Amino acid sequence: MRVALTTGEAIELPLGATVAEAIKALCPGKVRKTSVAAQVDGRAVDLSTPLAEGAVIEPIAIDSQEGLSILRHSAAHIMAQAVRELFGAEVQVAIGPAVEDGFYYDFDKQESFSSDDFPVIEARMQAIVERDLPFVRQEVAKSEAIAMFKAHGQRYKVELLEAIEAETVSLYRQGEFVDLCRGPHLPSTGWLKAFSLIKVAGAYWRGDEKKAMLQRLYGTAFPDAKALKAHLHALEEAKRRDHRKLGRELELFAISDQVGPGLILWQPKGAQLRKILEDYWKEEHYRHDYELLYTPQIARRDLWRTSGHLDFYVDDMFSPMEVDEVSYQIKPMNCPFHIAIYQTRKRSYREFPIRWCELGTVYRYERTGALHGLMRVRGFTQDDAHIFCLPGQLEEEILNILELNLHILKAFGFADYKVYLSTRPEKYVGSDQNWQRATEALKLALTKKGLPFEIDPGEGVFYGPKIDIKIRDVLGRFWQCSTIQVDFNLPERFAITYTGEDGEEHQPIMIHRALMGSLERFFGVLIEHYAGAFPNWLAPVQARVMNISDAQLDFSKDVYLQLKKAGIRIEKDLRNEKLNYKIRQAQLLKIPFMLIIGDKEVEERKVTVRLRDGQNLQALSIPELIEMIKLESRIPVAD
RNA sequence: GCUCACGUAGCUCAGUAGGUAGAGCACUUCCUUGGUAAGGAAGAGGUCACCGGUUCGAUUCCGGUCGUGAGCUCCA
């Protein structure tokens, strides 16, 4: 029979030849050695799969994304086998897929795992690897598989099987361990070269919080030890950059039990940085033809009844308070206030588009388990805006928003995005026609902007379709910040109108959008992105004056005052300490410019500058110094 | 909210097999006046998260509450 590679090369092989044999015959040594499975006629299969006449093969390399996922999936099976061997057959195994950076397997076991168990499990996994057991695929009738797992007492597998519609299912066996699995897998356990268990945590059976809590063991695996080491190093690096740790060390923000969980206290350094962010944001919004609003923190609860938020989100809102026998509510959203401003007078189509923005602080009751540093909080400030426009202006407005959005993100060095377009969910308001038109407008705008996007079917909010943008930080992690949402609900519920060209009243289209999302969260992302070493334009302290001894006190104070007057964010460290010590402390605080003053500098009326990276500049006069720092602290301009 | 773990000085952590606690850094004072990542000495600082129980006695054991962490679930 004749089989071919997707590249076109073909060969004659005896009937019943396997994928492995075909790859051996057709591919150079390197491909042969790194192929763990293959796409055959578009389907991922094991190397041991027999081929049919005319099969077209594309080898899957172990270091490709798909290959890695096969490797990790196999590692999950090996881990499950190790756990079963170690802890006995009464351990129930649930599911064990490959995930983003590794794999996990869920177990139901009386006693809980702890990280102390990891070395033992890893050692047993290593033993299984050394046994080099082949992964053997077997297709059986569903009923047969159910009977087998029942006999083994594996009720989770039985439950999974019962949910499968197909009559035939595939099992994978390595040694004594059999698992229900679609495959493909590595040829044998010996292929697992580098793996590590990472953590253990609870996880609900089938992700349902009403169902049993299982124990999830996370691990990761790589084709070689070097790649594993690099990954573990990256995890360390992420830990080193943890915004909660840096926030405390750099005195940026704090969270106090006394105040309450999920409520952020912005310390002076953090507040300074926030001010820079806010000023920049306002400036850019002014330039992009937005008008700024301020609205209250609370409003009558009825406002939220009208808006519909109460119906959908009452469990996520703080409890109401009584004021003069009227129920008030702390705001979880800014939009109803903007609508109230819209309603202050009659509106004409000639005013459109109306672009209103606000740094609006909102409070939402997040479940305790969801809280996390600055990333998930109960009180936060949205960089919110609402745009009221005509249906025909929708696409252009989306385009404007995208343009401002990317412009702002780029200033922080975020130039890599994942863009999602979320379409109509099952539960929704608004006409099908409106949904379709709005979704088309979003799509068109994204296409015009040249932004590749993925469709997230059914993930839109009940009131309209949306675009979400995730930004990629320097560690390659993605963070959801920007969101652009069309809203058919609020204009309807508040019955807002404008007078059209025809003299009739019409309903405007409303767009909600946030670029940074929440200032708290964005701040957290920035801390991790920059590892606390903020660029000069954002650094809460740009420079610190350090004298060598008391002899330079006067000049040092003079330098401090002059820079302060020039608007440089400056501090002084004139303590009776050694220079080494002062430099070390400034370095740990990641201050960009260290201004060093000794006798030589006093004599020349100049300052020696040490940069954060250890580099020394030539001595500068005070005016030169001010100019240099200002020049180095310009806001980065995005294309 | 759920599962598991954790909560000792401002920070990082040690400790007590039940007899009211200790280090380093930071802080204060003194000595030192020193040129690019920690000079020396002394001092101050803790109701061992909170509430209850067991006990002659609890920071230590048990229960609850609050908070934190990892994950699950959720995120207008």
Side-chain angles (χ1 to χ4, degrees), chain A residues 511-530:
Chain A
I511 308 167
H512 308 250
R513 54 106 273 208
L515 309 182
M516 304 180 193
S518 103
L519 292 186
E520 284 73 6
R521 188 183 152 77
F522 194 71
F523 184 31
V525 172
L526 287 183
I527 294 170
E528 304 207 353
H529 179 61
Y530 294 124

Side-chain angles (χ1 to χ4, degrees), chain A residues 49-60:
Chain A
T49 309
L51 291 166
E53 166 66 35
V56 178
I57 305 162
E58 185 178 8
I60 297 172

Side-chain angles (χ1 to χ4, degrees), chain A residues 278-488:
Chain A
E278 290 185 349
D279 289 350
Y280 170 64
W281 186 90
K282 286 178 188 166
E283 192 66 27
E284 288 300 329
H285 278 72
Y286 179 78
R287 294 197 327 120
H288 283 78
D289 220 2
Y290 281 71
E291 294 170 300
L292 188 65
L293 304 181
Y294 289 102
T295 65
Q297 299 304 307
I298 60 169
R300 292 185 153 195
R301 196 162 162 89
D302 282 345
L303 182 70
W304 311 103
R305 221 179 297 278
T306 308
S307 72
H309 289 114
L310 222 40
D311 297 341
F312 276 83
Y313 303 111
V314 70
D315 292 340
D316 305 309
M317 285 158 66
F318 276 92
S319 308
M321 57 191 114
E322 296 300 311
V323 183
D324 295 339
E325 290 173 35
V326 175
S327 201
Y328 278 77
Q329 174 71 50
I330 192 153
K331 68 171 166 182
M333 289 287 268
N334 302 304
C335 20
F337 296 92
H338 291 199
I339 296 218
I341 292 176
Y342 182 95
Q343 291 170 318
T344 51
R345 64 168 163 79
K346 246 171 119 55
R347 302 285 167 181
S348 149
Y349 76 98
R350 293 166 183 274
E351 296 180 59
F352 286 169
I354 291 174
R355 306 192 189 98
W356 285 339
C357 63
E358 176 182 12
L359 293 165
T361 304
V362 298
Y363 291 86
R364 296 179 185 175
Y365 172 77
E366 298 283 355
R367 299 159 92 183
T368 50
L371 300 173
H372 179 90
L374 290 172
M375 303 303 189
R376 194 71 183 274
V377 293
R378 285 186 174 158
F380 58 97
T381 301
Q382 292 182 311
D383 66 321
D384 212 353
H386 295 96
I387 289 129
F388 300 88
C389 65
L390 303 172
Q393 294 171 326
L394 187 56
E395 187 198 317
E396 199 188 332
E397 281 312 299
I398 302 288
L399 212 51
N400 284 339
I401 293 168
L402 285 173
E403 131 82 31
L404 173 61
N405 199 347
L406 300 192
H407 174 74
I408 286 185
L409 291 177
K410 278 178 185 160
F412 301 95
F414 298 120
D416 235 358
Y417 319 104
K418 269 191 198 167
V419 183
Y420 299 88
L421 175 66
S422 302
T423 57
R424 203 182 67 202
E426 275 175 36
K427 211 175 155 191
Y428 66 97
V429 299
S431 71
D432 290 2
Q433 194 205 358
N434 274 341
W435 271 88
Q436 205 189 340
R437 269 174 33 194
T439 308
E440 278 312 309
L442 294 181
K443 255 189 215 172
L444 215 59
L446 284 172
T447 311
K448 275 197 185 165
K449 190 75 197 154
L451 280 174
F453 60 94
E454 265 177 55
I455 303 259
D456 233 344
E459 287 302 305
V461 204
F462 72 92
Y463 51 67
K466 63 169 180 174
I467 293 171
D468 286 327
I469 300 179
K470 291 188 181 184
I471 55 177
R472 184 181 196 272
D473 73 8
V474 282
L475 291 192
R477 300 170 301 178
F478 283 90
W479 304 94
Q480 152 95 57
C481 292
S482 315
T483 184
I484 304 169
Q485 312 179 341
V486 180
D487 188 340
F488 307 121

Side-chain angles (χ1 to χ4, degrees), chain A residues 32 34 39-40 44 48 67 99 198 229 321 341 359 369 396 401 425 439 471 515 544 548 561 637:
Chain A
R32 223 185 300 153
T34 59
Q39 292 279 353
V40 173
S48 57
V99 289
I198 302 287
K229 209 176 151 196
M321 57 191 114
I341 292 176
L359 293 165
E396 199 188 332
I401 293 168
T439 308
I471 55 177
L515 309 182
R544 185 184 261 195
I548 287 171
L561 283 175
V637 186

Side-chain angles (χ1 to χ4, degrees), chain A residues 20-38:
Chain A
E21 285 159 349
I23 289 177
K24 194 175 167 193
L26 282 163
C27 300
K30 191 173 170 252
V31 176
R32 223 185 300 153
K33 277 187 205 140
T34 59
S35 297
V36 282

Side-chain angles (χ1 to χ4, degrees), chain A residues 141-387:
Chain A
K142 187 170 88 173
S143 55
E144 197 182 321
I146 291 176
M148 187 199 79
F149 283 113
K150 264 191 183 151
H152 289 160
Q154 290 292 343
R155 56 194 161 84
Y156 294 99
K157 293 294 172 190
V158 173
E159 195 179 326
L160 284 173
L161 276 161
E162 280 166 350
I164 293 177
E165 287 191 9
E167 275 314 300
T168 317
V169 297
S170 57
L171 303 178
Y172 275 81
R173 178 188 301 276
Q174 84 262 21
E176 298 295 301
F177 182 80
V178 188
D179 204 349
L180 168 69
C181 186
R182 198 176 286 136
H185 276 285
L186 299 173
S188 67
T189 59
W191 281 64
L192 181 60
K193 300 294 184 203
F195 61 91
S196 175
L197 298 196
I198 302 287
K199 60 194 163 200
V200 56
Y204 300 110
W205 168 232
R206 315 206 100 184
D208 184 340
E209 60 185 316
K210 291 186 190 68
K211 294 208 163 91
M213 178 65 77
L214 306 174
Q215 297 187 62
R216 178 169 295 178
L217 284 177
Y218 283 90
T220 191
F222 285 88
D224 58 70
K226 206 175 141 195
L228 173 65
K229 209 176 151 196
H231 176 73
L232 295 177
H233 185 265
L235 290 183
E236 285 299 311
E237 179 63 18
K239 220 167 153 185
R240 199 177 68 75
R241 288 169 179 252
D242 190 313
H243 72 282
R244 294 164 299 182
K245 181 172 176 283
L246 288 170
R248 190 169 46 237
E249 288 172 1
L250 304 179
E251 303 192 311
L252 298 169
F253 72 93
I255 299 170
S256 152
D257 285 10
Q258 197 182 187
V259 174
L263 301 170
I264 303 304
L265 302 165
W266 294 71
Q267 290 170 277
K269 302 274 161 62
Q272 177 61 257
L273 203 148
R274 173 170 170 163
K275 180 185 180 294
I276 298 163
L277 276 188
E278 290 185 349
D279 289 350
Y280 170 64
W281 186 90
K282 286 178 188 166
E283 192 66 27
E284 288 300 329
H285 278 72
Y286 179 78
R287 294 197 327 120
H288 283 78
D289 220 2
Y290 281 71
E291 294 170 300
L292 188 65
L293 304 181
Y294 289 102
T295 65
Q297 299 304 307
I298 60 169
R300 292 185 153 195
R301 196 162 162 89
D302 282 345
L303 182 70
W304 311 103
R305 221 179 297 278
T306 308
S307 72
H309 289 114
L310 222 40
D311 297 341
F312 276 83
Y313 303 111
V314 70
D315 292 340
D316 305 309
M317 285 158 66
F318 276 92
S319 308
M321 57 191 114
E322 296 300 311
V323 183
D324 295 339
E325 290 173 35
V326 175
S327 201
Y328 278 77
Q329 174 71 50
I330 192 153
K331 68 171 166 182
M333 289 287 268
N334 302 304
C335 20
F337 296 92
H338 291 199
I339 296 218
I341 292 176
Y342 182 95
Q343 291 170 318
T344 51
R345 64 168 163 79
K346 246 171 119 55
R347 302 285 167 181
S348 149
Y349 76 98
R350 293 166 183 274
E351 296 180 59
F352 286 169
I354 291 174
R355 306 192 189 98
W356 285 339
C357 63
E358 176 182 12
L359 293 165
T361 304
V362 298
Y363 291 86
R364 296 179 185 175
Y365 172 77
E366 298 283 355
R367 299 159 92 183
T368 50
L371 300 173
H372 179 90
L374 290 172
M375 303 303 189
R376 194 71 183 274
V377 293
R378 285 186 174 158
F380 58 97
T381 301
Q382 292 182 311
D383 66 321
D384 212 353
H386 295 96
I387 289 129

